[in-house]
Amino acid sequence: MSMRTLPLLFLNLGGEMLYILDQRLRAQNIPGDKARKVMNDIISTMFNQKFMEELFKPQELYSKKALRTVYDRLAHASIMRLNQASMDKLYDLMTMAFKYQVLLCPRPKDVLLVTLNHLDAIKGLIQDSPTILHQVDETFRQLTDIYGDLSAGEFQLIRQTLLIFFQDLHIRVSIFLKDKVQNSNGRFVLPVSGPVPWGTEVPGLIRTFNNKGKEVKKTEFKHGGSYVAALKEGSLELYGDRVLKLGTNMYSVNRPVETHMSAASKNLASRTQTSSAHQARRVILRSYQHPSYSGPADEPRAGADHGGV
């Protein structure tokens, strides 16, 4: 297992949590100043300098129970309060969304681009607080300094560590079920189309070489997919083009998410129902899809349909 996995797991799950909370605040018509305070307080706590310094030290992953406790406390770092059922559903949505993103990464290294997409989006959620923006930018710098030069083998170990963490999670989520990217047993449907990993060729050709390294034969074969070459590699620059859409905010499309807040939060504003932009949602999920590796061969676990999105 990789000792460099924890920061990537924490930041990506945290990003998904912020997406969902932001969507719920908007859906419930929470007054702007209160919504802004909730998001700024949580983001400021999440990117606390001392906590980040500890997080980036090489270490094993937290246990699932310990990690869940961290997000419980993080979600309640502001005036907002979630009841137990809401927190359970929120955490399930977070974990399944990031598991899906990890499975769809064309290369193991692309999990870093997914993380940067989360940070880019988080910065867009911050309002009127240069101090908090600086906290996120400092975390960005730490990420690129530590992970920017890791080898492909080290990223493969990180990816495998993440998949081991997620391998027994098969929670059904309505947004994935409706858009047919998840089966009824909770397993994801992985695509066989789209751009191949950067630096690789579209499958369909076998080259044969002799003992002197000279190419002597070419044989074409049908691969059964619909692949295209990657146009360019995603950027690790602060304001660069990540190319990948994995990790962007799929809750930006206006639709209900069942992460109900407790009575204390409902006092902020009456709950409103939002319309489901089904077609737009499908476009976002399709933009996620890339050829990907199959996950570990684990047995499906029965679980409730965590609908919600």
Side-chain angles (χ1 to χ4, degrees):
M1 294 180 63
S2 172
M3 305 291 280
R4 289 290 189 186
T5 308
L6 183 59
L8 301 179
L9 179 64
F10 174 80
L11 291 170
N12 284 290
L13 288 179
E16 290 299 319
M17 181 185 76
L18 290 168
Y19 293 166
I20 298 167
L21 294 179
D22 174 68
Q23 194 275 346
R24 286 312 304 152
L25 291 169
R26 287 185 286 107
Q28 295 183 355
N29 289 334
I30 302 299
D33 58 336
K34 293 183 178 179
R36 182 164 56 250
K37 176 173 174 53
V38 168
M39 296 303 293
N40 283 356
D41 285 351
I42 295 175
I43 296 171
S44 177
T45 303
M46 178 176 170
F47 290 92
N48 176 272
Q49 182 179 352
K50 290 185 178 180
F51 176 66
M52 284 292 116
E53 289 173 356
E54 290 298 318
L55 184 73
F56 276 91
K57 292 179 180 178
Q59 58 190 297
E60 293 184 357
L61 287 183
Y62 296 163
S63 68
K64 289 183 174 66
K65 183 177 180 181
L67 192 64
R68 165 61 190 268
T69 300
V70 170
Y71 289 109
D72 280 352
R73 294 177 178 176
L74 187 59
H76 295 97
S78 186
I79 58 176
M80 182 184 66
R81 292 295 177 264
L82 298 173
N83 60 36
Q84 188 63 43
S86 296
M87 191 64 216
D88 289 344
K89 194 160 293 186
L90 172 63
Y91 189 73
D92 289 342
L93 289 168
M94 291 158 49
T95 53
M96 292 306 289
F98 184 43
K99 177 180 180 178
Y100 184 54
Q101 294 159 15
V102 172
L103 287 171
L104 290 188
C105 280
R107 306 174 301 171
K109 183 178 181 179
D110 288 333
V111 72
L112 178 57
L113 293 174
V114 174
T115 311
L116 298 186
N117 272 338
H118 278 108
L119 293 192
D120 291 343
I122 288 170
K123 288 168 66 175
L125 299 176
I126 300 168
Q127 299 184 45
D128 305 323
S129 182
T131 301
I132 302 177
L133 280 172
H134 177 73
Q135 286 179 266
V136 180
D137 284 342
E138 180 60 23
T139 300
F140 180 99
R141 184 195 62 77
Q142 288 179 279
L143 274 172
T144 53
D145 285 351
I146 293 173
Y147 295 92
D149 295 324
L150 291 188
S151 67
E154 289 172 306
F155 274 111
Q156 173 60 22
L157 188 57
I158 288 172
R159 179 183 179 277
Q160 193 62 35
T161 304
L162 288 170
L163 291 179
I164 290 171
F165 180 85
F166 288 126
Q167 68 177 348
D168 61 343
L169 297 177
H170 300 285
I171 302 159
R172 297 186 295 273
V173 177
S174 65
I175 184 175
F176 295 135
L177 292 168
K178 289 175 182 176
D179 293 301
K180 303 185 186 305
V181 298
Q182 189 180 33
N183 291 323
S184 59
N185 63 2
R187 292 181 177 273
F188 288 116
V189 179
L190 304 184
V192 288
S193 62
V196 297
W198 172 256
T200 64
E201 298 180 10
V202 174
L205 181 66
I206 300 172
R207 294 186 176 90
T208 306
F209 298 82
N210 61 20
N211 58 2
K212 295 182 179 179
K214 182 179 180 181
E215 184 179 309
V216 296
K217 183 181 178 181
K218 290 183 178 180
T219 305
E220 294 185 356
F221 67 92
K222 293 182 179 180
H223 50 70
S226 179
Y227 300 108
V228 295
L231 297 178
K232 61 180 180 178
E233 186 174 19
S235 171
L236 302 183
E237 297 296 322
L238 184 60
Y239 299 105
D241 180 4
R242 314 298 175 212
V243 180
L244 278 183
K245 299 301 181 185
L246 298 171
T248 55
N249 189 355
M250 67 178 179
Y251 304 101
S252 59
V253 176
N254 196 28
R255 61 179 178 275
V257 184
E258 290 180 11
T259 51
H260 305 309
M261 297 182 183
S262 65
S265 292
K266 290 179 182 178
N267 289 336
L268 293 175
S270 61
R271 183 178 177 192
T272 61
Q273 292 293 326
T274 57
S275 62
S276 176
H278 182 69
Q279 188 62 34
R281 182 174 69 234
R282 290 188 66 84
V283 170
I284 292 175
L285 282 173
R286 284 172 179 170
S287 73
Y288 264 19
Q289 295 185 346
H290 292 275
S292 50
Y293 311 91
S294 59
D298 50 359
E299 291 300 318
R301 183 184 68 179
D305 179 358
H306 287 348
V309 241

